[in-house]
Amino acid sequence: MVVSDAMSTPVITVNVDTTAYDVANIMKDNNIGCVVVVEKDSKPLGIVTERDLVINIVAKNLKPKDVLIKDIMTTKLVVISPTATLMDAAKKMTEKNVKRLPVVEGDKLLGIITVSDITKISPKIFEIMSEMSKMGGELPYRGDEYIEGICEVCGSQGPVRLVNGRYICDNCIDEL
């Protein structure tokens, strides 16, 4: 399954001159945890998360109406291609310690994929793999072999293995 199958669209965006106050309200009104900062031509420049607002505004006791997003946004944007696999997205999130990846093709913002998006779709992936196993189809791994995935018991991401038809991390295997 590829990123474009699970990404959220449209992406809520703001420009660099938006205030932190306005961004906080946009996030609240749209029930989202981030916005992507874009240029006039919609080229992504950065991202602002709830954490950015807490660390850069609240913790410093600044007035949100006085702070522009360009001054607190994360500019080292970690992005992913719409044709990348969900596993690629999960690995990139883990490696870069991020929970959200703007989906970009060229300079165009197409969507955003989050840990929540991957978690929502992972049970469907496990169902497909389980059905393939029952039908004798080839799976990328079997038995005691580990892969990177999402535990069907606790939802954590990391090494999982097939145990009684479910993909489970070692912590949950020990508890069973």
Side-chain angles (χ1 to χ4, degrees):
M1 199 167 251
V2 294
V3 167
S4 61
D5 294 332
M7 70 183 184
S8 299
T9 59
V11 181
I12 305 297
T13 61
V14 297
N15 66 48
V16 292
D17 295 322
T18 307
T19 66
Y21 175 83
D22 290 334
V23 166
N25 280 297
I26 289 168
M27 288 182 189
K28 176 185 66 99
D29 294 344
N30 290 281
N31 195 28
I32 56 176
C34 74
V35 294
V36 177
V37 183
V38 295
E39 286 186 291
K40 291 177 185 164
D41 63 356
S42 296
K43 178 182 176 185
L45 297 174
I47 193 167
V48 176
T49 67
E50 297 161 316
R51 186 174 191 274
D52 294 324
L53 295 174
V54 169
I55 290 171
N56 295 302
I57 308 293
V58 178
K60 294 179 180 178
N61 200 28
L62 299 178
K63 294 180 182 177
K65 288 184 178 180
D66 295 340
V67 178
L68 298 179
I69 287 308
K70 67 182 174 186
D71 297 325
I72 67 164
M73 71 182 189
T74 301
T75 56
K76 292 184 179 178
L77 200 56
V78 180
V79 301
I80 196 154
S81 163
T83 58
T85 67
L86 292 181
M87 189 61 69
D88 292 335
K91 284 179 183 177
K92 188 174 253 191
M93 287 177 187
T94 300
E95 289 168 6
K96 301 295 184 177
N97 195 29
V98 297
K99 297 177 184 173
R100 303 161 179 96
L101 294 172
V103 181
V104 175
E105 193 166 54
D107 281 344
K108 186 175 180 186
L109 178 65
L110 302 177
I112 192 161
I113 188 155
T114 67
V115 169
S116 296
D117 295 327
I118 294 171
T119 303
K120 283 179 202 168
I121 203 158
S122 64
K124 294 176 188 171
I125 294 170
F126 289 127
E127 283 178 32
I128 292 167
M129 293 175 83
S130 179
E131 288 301 314
M132 284 180 67
S133 175
K134 290 175 188 171
M135 296 182 329
E138 280 298 310
L139 294 175
Y141 58 95
R142 292 196 182 275
D144 290 335
E145 293 182 39
Y146 288 88
I147 65 153
E148 287 294 313
I150 299 173
C151 177
E152 288 187 65
V153 175
C154 69
S156 68
Q157 180 187 339
V160 294
R161 62 182 168 153
L162 185 61
V163 177
N164 297 328
R166 296 177 13 182
Y167 299 96
I168 304 175
C169 69
D170 280 343
N171 290 339
C172 292
I173 289 170
D174 293 342
E175 292 175 12
L176 293 178

